[in-house]
Amino acid sequence: MILVLVDHDRGELDQLSLRALTAARKLGQDVEAVVVGKEAASLAAIVGEYGAKVLHVAAHANITDYTPMATGRALKDLVEKLKPAAVLAAGSPRGNEQLAHLAAFLDLPMAAECSEITLGNPHHVLRARWAGNLIESANVHADLLIASVLAFSTEPESANSGAATVSEFEPSLEPQDYAVKVLSRDAGESKGGVTLTDAKVIVSGGRGVGGPEGFGQIEELATLLGGTVGCSRVVTSSGWRPHAEQVGQTGTKVAPDLYIAAGISGAMQHIAGMKNSKTIVVINTDPEAPILGYADYAIIGDLHQVLPALTSAIRQAKG
Amino acid sequence: MDVLVCLKRVPLAGGTLILTPDSRDIETKHLGFGISPHEENAVEAGVQLVEQMGGTLTLLTLGPSDAEEQLRSQLAIGATRAVLLETDGQEWDPQGTAAALVDAINAEETKFDLIIFGAESADSAGYQIHIRVAHALNRPIITNVKSMKVENGVAVCDRVVAAGREHYEVALPAIVTVRDGLNIPRYPSVPGRMQARKKPVDMKKAEARVPKLEKVNLALAPSKSTGAEILGNGVDAVPALVEVLKKIGTF
Ligand SMILES: Cc1cc2nc3c(=O)[nH]c(=O)nc-3n(C[C@H](O)[C@H](O)[C@H](O)COP(=O)(O)OP(=O)(O)OC[C@H]3O[C@@H](n4cnc5c(N)ncnc54)[C@H](O)[C@@H]3O)c2cc1C
Ligand SMILES: Nc1ncnc2c1ncn2[C@@H]1O[C@H](COP(=O)(O)O)[C@@H](O)[C@H]1O
């Protein structure tokens, strides 16, 4: 049996978990799912549709919101009882974190961000490294495989099956398991406008913009196209723009309909964050810039001339 | 306040990666080395805490003896001292690395109030060494922190999620893992670099264990890229781009 940790936020399903369920089904064994928190018992229908026969619900008076170490303990209790061949979760910050707590409790290896899993002795995985630019082939020496499923490596596929049977249990929590938990939440830096992850159009600037003032042109074009501003890490580490706008490996991963990269060279850590954009347009003085290898269209030229010309041409075309 | 930061020497690769002939590592002959952005933020946070509250900032790394270069460059921005657990240059698996870090932390006279890690290492991205260390030291851990304050022996931390910002608090001693954007790491000053040469770096030999997560080899991820259609040079190419944007339905 394969046990899949299905993540949720206050009862709302994490969509990446459906991919983890799909990946689990491909291993050719029965699939069961586990959620932590009573409010997620309502996910039995969707979890069942994606192939889990049973939904284990870890319920405890001290699990009132996201509590990663308590998840680790609940998974440990379940693993000891059910003896699955593998425990999988989505390769998201939360999926990786909760599995790492399980691995630490059991002192077993954990393979993060796997794009392929083969059960055996040893188990074998392919996993992403260097922001997905490298694929590691690795053996995992343990009876129980603990692995997270690389986001977007598996398309979610419904199994068209009925709701999972709900089985509630109380994990044997120790006080330290819930010492760290979410105490409160607010809307954060999102100013109510279009956020990077939701934006259909992103106009992104890099070192080539030259300074904070230059972003006026970027903002103007982004607003005109109903989009938002992005940037490279050089821009945030120079303090020209807030980090919330950084696209890439250590920033935000985006996939808009249109990504315009102005004055960005295309380091692999930047590419890692925007390569899934539908159409990529580059404005760069350097015809050899690596980003051209990933783009659909390019203008070779100075962004300080091209951007204002583009903005006024679009205004004219819009009438 | 005594702070420890754990960091890892990684190649500074930005462009195309090349593998070594045995496909076990990336070719680093023409590359410089550094640490992950997350860990730069971790060191900066440690320096700021010690500036505000007094105390010491210790750096800890497991890696080849060349990792002294990364320790010195971070000592230059204000850390007090460093410990290097010297390997034969092979990368260790996460369990082996965590166990060696735990042994080294337990061997220290200082009982660190706060241990700061990067959220994940830039090269291997295992997402786990810090959590293993936290379990072994029996300390609470908050991960992926984007803003942090320490007040009255409590670490007050926020992390960014899709829905906004989550708020956490934990009493020290504790472990925190931080993300790029936590702060803007400073550049070392010339006097900072001079002082760093004289700061103590303890070198200790580390004995490798049999890896349970055993790297077999590496491969380059296939690239889907076909290359861009060049629309032209400078402002002359703008009308062509406007046509493209119309065609794809941008406006
Ligand atoms: C572990 C790790 C994680 C990282 N994470 C990220 C990340 O999340 N996001 C990220 O972006 N980077 C990240 N980086 C940094 C990355 O490696 C690059 O340093 C960074 O992306 C480069 O930014 P840039 O393209 O703006 O600058 P540069 O590489 O300096 O490129 C500037 C470009 O602008 C062009 N240009 C200059 N003037 C003009 C002009 N007038 N008009 C038009 N074009 C012009 C130049 O030809 C050049 O191509 C990370 C690095 C590491 C090691
Ligand atoms: N070799 C190492 N020496 C010291 N700290 C390390 C080492 N490898 C990883 N770390 C720390 O652990 C964090 C998480 O690493 P990882 O589990 O590999 O993603 C990194 O950001 C570092 O802070």
Side-chain angles (χ1 to χ4, degrees):
Chain A
M1 186 268 286
I2 312 294
L3 183 64
V4 178
L5 170 65
V6 170
D7 197 21
H8 67 94
D9 189 32
R10 300 179 178 176
E12 197 182 309
L13 175 74
D14 159 45
Q15 295 295 322
L16 289 178
S17 295
L18 297 182
R19 295 170 188 256
L21 281 167
T22 308
R25 252 162 47 221
K26 296 193 170 153
L27 298 179
Q29 299 196 9
D30 280 354
V31 174
E32 297 188 7
V34 51
V35 289
V36 177
K38 233 181 171 143
E39 67 280 17
S42 59
L43 299 177
I46 182 90
V47 159
E49 188 197 330
Y50 280 78
K53 298 219 157 52
V54 184
L55 176 63
H56 301 275
V57 178
H60 192 285
N62 288 306
I63 301 181
T64 48
D65 203 332
Y66 181 62
T67 317
M69 193 167 182
T71 304
R73 182 81 72 178
L75 290 174
K76 173 176 178 280
D77 286 357
L78 217 47
V79 160
E80 283 164 358
K81 196 167 98 199
L82 304 172
K83 309 236 178 317
V87 181
L88 306 185
S92 62
R94 281 168 61 145
N96 287 325
E97 165 174 61
Q98 295 174 96
L99 284 187
H101 276 290
L102 170 66
F105 272 125
L106 297 175
D107 194 21
L108 288 178
M110 156 182 157
E113 314 270 301
C114 298
S115 55
E116 232 179 86
I117 295 173
T118 315
L119 297 178
N121 182 17
H123 305 296
H124 181 263
V125 298
L126 294 181
R127 59 174 297 265
R129 279 187 172 232
W130 278 107
N133 290 285
L134 283 184
I135 300 165
E136 173 184 352
S137 154
N139 291 327
V140 187
H141 299 272
D143 287 341
L144 175 73
L145 175 69
I146 302 175
S148 69
V149 177
L150 180 65
F152 307 115
S153 67
T154 309
E155 284 303 316
E157 282 167 34
S158 163
N160 297 313
S161 39
T165 316
V166 172
S167 165
E168 198 177 296
F169 72 107
E170 187 178 295
S172 58
L173 299 189
E174 304 282 337
Q176 71 261 26
D177 300 342
Y178 43 86
V180 172
K181 61 180 170 195
V182 178
L183 294 178
S184 63
R185 183 189 284 173
D186 60 48
E189 286 159 31
S190 52
K191 291 155 277 179
V194 193
T195 64
L196 264 189
T197 31
D198 303 337
K200 295 258 179 290
V201 175
I202 296 174
V203 185
S204 215
R207 194 202 302 269
V209 175
E213 321 74 39
F215 272 85
Q217 296 170 337
I218 304 257
E219 263 174 5
E220 208 178 330
L221 179 59
T223 309
L224 182 63
L225 296 176
T228 194
V229 175
C231 66
S232 73
R233 181 161 192 271
V234 168
V235 169
T236 53
S237 56
S238 308
W240 301 350
R241 299 295 293 188
H243 188 270
E245 292 178 1
Q246 182 180 314
V247 171
Q249 179 180 355
T250 57
T252 306
K253 294 195 175 62
V254 300
D257 291 341
L258 174 65
Y259 189 87
I260 302 181
I264 294 176
S265 65
M268 64 173 183
Q269 296 91 354
H270 189 82
I271 301 293
M274 45 63 85
K275 65 180 172 198
N276 293 321
S277 308
K278 253 194 221 136
T279 302
I280 298 172
V281 172
V282 163
I283 303 166
N284 201 303
T285 43
D286 176 8
E288 304 287 318
I291 195 160
L292 291 172
Y294 299 86
D296 299 289
Y297 303 97
I299 292 181
I300 306 305
D302 184 346
L303 66 91
H304 299 293
Q305 291 162 7
V306 174
L307 282 178
L310 180 60
T311 303
S312 68
I314 292 172
R315 274 217 183 93
Q316 238 166 24
K318 279 183 147 183
Chain B
M1 166 121 182
D2 294 308
V3 182
L4 177 77
V5 172
C6 292
L7 45 87
K8 180 181 187 185
R9 170 183 164 95
V10 296
L12 287 177
T16 319
L17 295 170
I18 300 170
L19 298 180
T20 54
D22 65 1
S23 296
R24 283 186 53 84
D25 288 292
I26 62 173
E27 183 54 76
T28 54
K29 253 185 272 174
H30 306 291
L31 297 178
F33 285 82
I35 60 174
S36 162
H38 301 315
E39 292 152 34
E40 290 178 11
N41 294 111
V43 178
E44 175 65 35
V47 172
Q48 287 182 15
L49 284 171
V50 168
E51 279 174 351
Q52 290 157 18
M53 309 171 74
T56 62
L57 172 61
T58 304
L59 308 176
L60 173 61
T61 193
L62 175 129
S65 56
D66 287 344
E68 185 180 346
E69 179 192 341
Q70 281 61 53
L71 293 175
R72 295 271 175 217
S73 73
Q74 299 303 314
L75 286 168
I77 76 158
T80 317
R81 57 182 278 269
V83 179
L84 197 167
L85 307 176
E86 199 183 331
T87 63
D88 60 357
Q90 293 292 316
E91 188 182 68
W92 288 22
D93 84 334
Q95 278 171 289
T97 306
L101 296 179
V102 167
D103 287 347
I105 293 167
N106 283 331
E108 286 285 309
E109 260 168 51
T110 316
K111 294 293 160 243
F112 302 103
D113 302 292
L114 183 66
I115 305 179
I116 315 178
F117 286 81
E120 77 264 359
S121 53
D123 58 345
S124 53
Y127 298 91
Q128 56 189 272
I129 287 170
H130 29 61
I131 291 175
R132 293 184 187 279
V133 171
H135 279 245
L137 297 177
N138 200 10
R139 286 189 178 201
I141 176 167
I142 307 177
T143 64
N144 289 295
V145 164
K146 264 308 232 326
S147 88
M148 172 171 66
K149 271 188 300 193
V150 174
E151 292 168 340
N152 309 319
V154 174
V156 179
C157 301
D158 285 348
R159 75 185 211 178
V160 175
V161 292
R165 209 164 35 195
E166 289 176 344
H167 183 71
Y168 294 81
E169 288 179 16
V170 71
L172 303 184
I175 299 184
V176 161
T177 89
V178 299
R179 294 199 69 82
D180 190 12
L182 175 81
N183 50 39
I184 299 183
R186 68 193 75 182
Y187 286 103
S189 62
V190 174
R193 279 183 211 279
M194 303 282 283
Q195 285 160 14
R197 283 195 217 149
K198 281 173 259 147
K199 288 183 179 173
V201 175
D202 297 347
M203 307 282 252
K204 297 182 179 179
K205 282 267 183 285
E207 280 310 318
R209 310 168 192 219
V210 180
K212 298 240 182 80
L213 178 63
E214 179 203 5
K215 175 169 76 178
V216 179
N217 59 35
L218 300 174
L220 300 175
S223 142
K224 285 171 288 190
S225 59
T226 45
E229 178 186 328
I230 308 288
L231 299 171
N233 288 307
V235 292
D236 295 347
V238 165
L241 180 52
V242 172
E243 287 314 307
V244 165
L245 298 185
K246 275 190 199 156
K247 195 182 77 191
I248 63 170
T250 306
F251 66 91

